[in-house]
Amino acid sequence: MAKKYVLREHLTAVPFNEPMKPDEPVVEVLTSAEFAHLSFADRQMQDAVRTLATVENTYLDVFPDCLIGSFAVPSKDCVLCDLECFAFYLDKTHLLFLDEQDTCIRLLDAIAKQGFVKEPTVAHCLFEFMKQLVKGDLAFLADLEDRMEDVEESIIDRGLEGTSRQMLWYRRMLLRIDTYYQQLVDMASSLADNENKLLTHEESRLFLVFERQAERLLKRSLTLKEYSLQLRELYQTQIDIKQNDTMQFFTVITTLFAPLTLLTSWFGMNFTHMPGLNWPWAYYVVIAVSVAIVTLELILFRRKKWL
């Protein structure tokens, strides 16, 4: 899976065993097994890079003559699936990626295909690589917002069934996206600070540009996260309204039959000389009175818009 690229006029893939000119900028992608057999830097640095290859964080560490870091990238096809994790090492002429999958090769091939790197340096290549990581993210977030709007309409118009799980899924997804963008902003800020003076002024300025781009994506994701909280509040409001409607229905039914309950309780008393017990039409009179009471109550409730 090892692959090598050189930076001349643009990024170009070459055979891995092709000899390089002295100080020629080189970009390499290796697996952990391939990296272990490579005579590269010192043992401590190799161990540090290998460790970072499995870290589920986007992170940068600055050394006097190099930079090492890791990327933990959520997939746009399945944000909540396993992160795409890989590490990198950068010095003046080498950019090395330690990747167990094909993520780095895919992104570097895309850079090579576009045939453009502003300057043939490994720092410029890293900048283009980070741009590829967030390429299409604004469209992805816009599509995510559209799907959240569909959930909002579902809550309002088509009931509550199934929306709770959807909202939980969106909240978890936005939390992961928000964390990723925040870490990208921190990494770009550290690169732009150029603490060890490894980068030129122009190269550090590029990462400042990327930091601003990542901040815009971060703000967009934060807006969507707030929107997800609003959806949760709307969902809870709809539940409260549904519960209130149910309680109102039972209250109306109770109120409707309260006079009839009083009437039946009154005539249920076992007094010997209760008036009307011996009237031939008493039973029908009670029925008529009960119907009249219910009818009047229904009319009143409709006027009050309780029904």
Side-chain angles (χ1 to χ4, degrees), residues 176-240:
R176 173 166 284 189
I177 292 171
D178 173 61
T179 302
Y180 168 60
Y181 288 143
Q182 183 61 66
Q183 292 172 351
L184 269 184
V185 169
D186 293 340
M187 175 182 281
S189 176
S190 297
L191 287 166
D193 288 342
N194 196 18
E195 181 182 343
N196 59 1
K197 307 304 178 185
L198 182 68
L199 310 178
T200 66
H201 175 72
E202 175 64 22
E203 289 168 345
S204 62
R205 191 188 66 81
L206 286 176
F207 290 106
L208 183 60
V209 172
F210 181 83
E211 180 187 357
R212 292 170 182 163
Q213 182 181 359
E215 282 178 344
R216 288 193 294 271
L217 291 169
L218 176 61
K219 290 177 181 177
R220 190 82 169 95
S221 68
L222 288 174
T223 300
L224 291 180
K225 192 159 73 169
E226 291 175 2
Y227 185 25
S228 71
L229 295 176
Q230 293 173 4
L231 286 181
R232 178 65 184 174
E233 292 174 358
L234 176 62
Y235 177 78
Q236 188 60 49
T237 299
Q238 293 298 107
I239 290 178
D240 293 341

Side-chain angles (χ1 to χ4, degrees), residues 4-232:
K4 180 185 286 188
Y5 304 81
V6 293
L7 281 156
R8 289 162 184 160
E9 293 183 359
H10 53 81
L11 188 69
T12 306
V14 296
F16 195 81
N17 56 359
E18 180 176 313
M20 297 290 104
K21 298 177 183 177
D23 296 330
E24 186 172 25
V26 177
V27 181
E28 295 176 310
V29 182
L30 302 170
T31 64
S32 296
E34 293 163 341
F35 184 68
H37 297 92
L38 185 68
S39 176
F40 187 83
D42 55 42
R43 175 62 59 182
Q44 185 178 2
M45 187 63 66
Q46 287 187 17
D47 292 341
V49 175
R50 252 196 311 270
T51 301
L52 287 175
T54 57
V55 172
E56 294 189 351
N57 284 300
T58 298
Y59 169 81
L60 179 72
D61 209 350
V62 180
F63 291 90
D65 56 353
C66 67
L67 300 169
I68 65 171
S70 64
F71 288 97
V73 185
S75 170
K76 295 183 182 68
D77 297 327
C78 182
V79 175
L80 295 180
C81 296
D82 291 339
L83 296 169
E84 298 174 357
C85 300
F86 49 91
F88 74 92
Y89 169 95
L90 176 76
D91 61 21
K92 283 288 187 182
T93 58
H94 287 86
L95 175 58
L96 184 145
F97 290 99
L98 195 59
D99 185 11
E100 302 297 332
Q101 305 175 42
D102 63 345
T103 305
C104 294
I105 292 177
R106 175 168 47 84
L107 296 176
L108 290 170
D109 284 345
I111 297 172
K113 186 177 180 181
Q114 74 184 15
F116 174 79
V117 177
K118 189 174 182 181
E119 294 289 341
T121 67
V122 289
H124 277 78
C125 184
L126 179 61
F127 169 71
E128 293 294 335
F129 182 88
M130 292 174 71
K131 281 176 59 179
Q132 287 292 325
L133 285 177
V134 298
K135 184 178 181 180
D137 281 19
L138 277 176
F140 170 74
L141 293 175
D143 178 67
L144 184 59
E145 183 177 13
D146 290 341
R147 286 184 282 164
M148 292 173 70
E149 288 174 353
D150 292 339
V151 172
E152 182 179 19
E153 292 178 2
S154 177
I155 293 172
I156 296 174
D157 300 331
R158 296 188 291 274
L160 307 173
E161 292 77 9
T163 54
S164 180
R165 183 172 294 276
Q166 283 181 292
M167 287 187 297
L168 177 62
W169 182 75
Y170 283 124
R171 283 201 304 276
R172 288 177 176 174
M173 186 164 58
L174 287 166
L175 179 61
R176 173 166 284 189
I177 292 171
D178 173 61
T179 302
Y180 168 60
Y181 288 143
Q182 183 61 66
Q183 292 172 351
L184 269 184
V185 169
D186 293 340
M187 175 182 281
S189 176
S190 297
L191 287 166
D193 288 342
N194 196 18
E195 181 182 343
N196 59 1
K197 307 304 178 185
L198 182 68
L199 310 178
T200 66
H201 175 72
E202 175 64 22
E203 289 168 345
S204 62
R205 191 188 66 81
L206 286 176
F207 290 106
L208 183 60
V209 172
F210 181 83
E211 180 187 357
R212 292 170 182 163
Q213 182 181 359
E215 282 178 344
R216 288 193 294 271
L217 291 169
L218 176 61
K219 290 177 181 177
R220 190 82 169 95
S221 68
L222 288 174
T223 300
L224 291 180
K225 192 159 73 169
E226 291 175 2
Y227 185 25
S228 71
L229 295 176
Q230 293 173 4
L231 286 181
R232 178 65 184 174

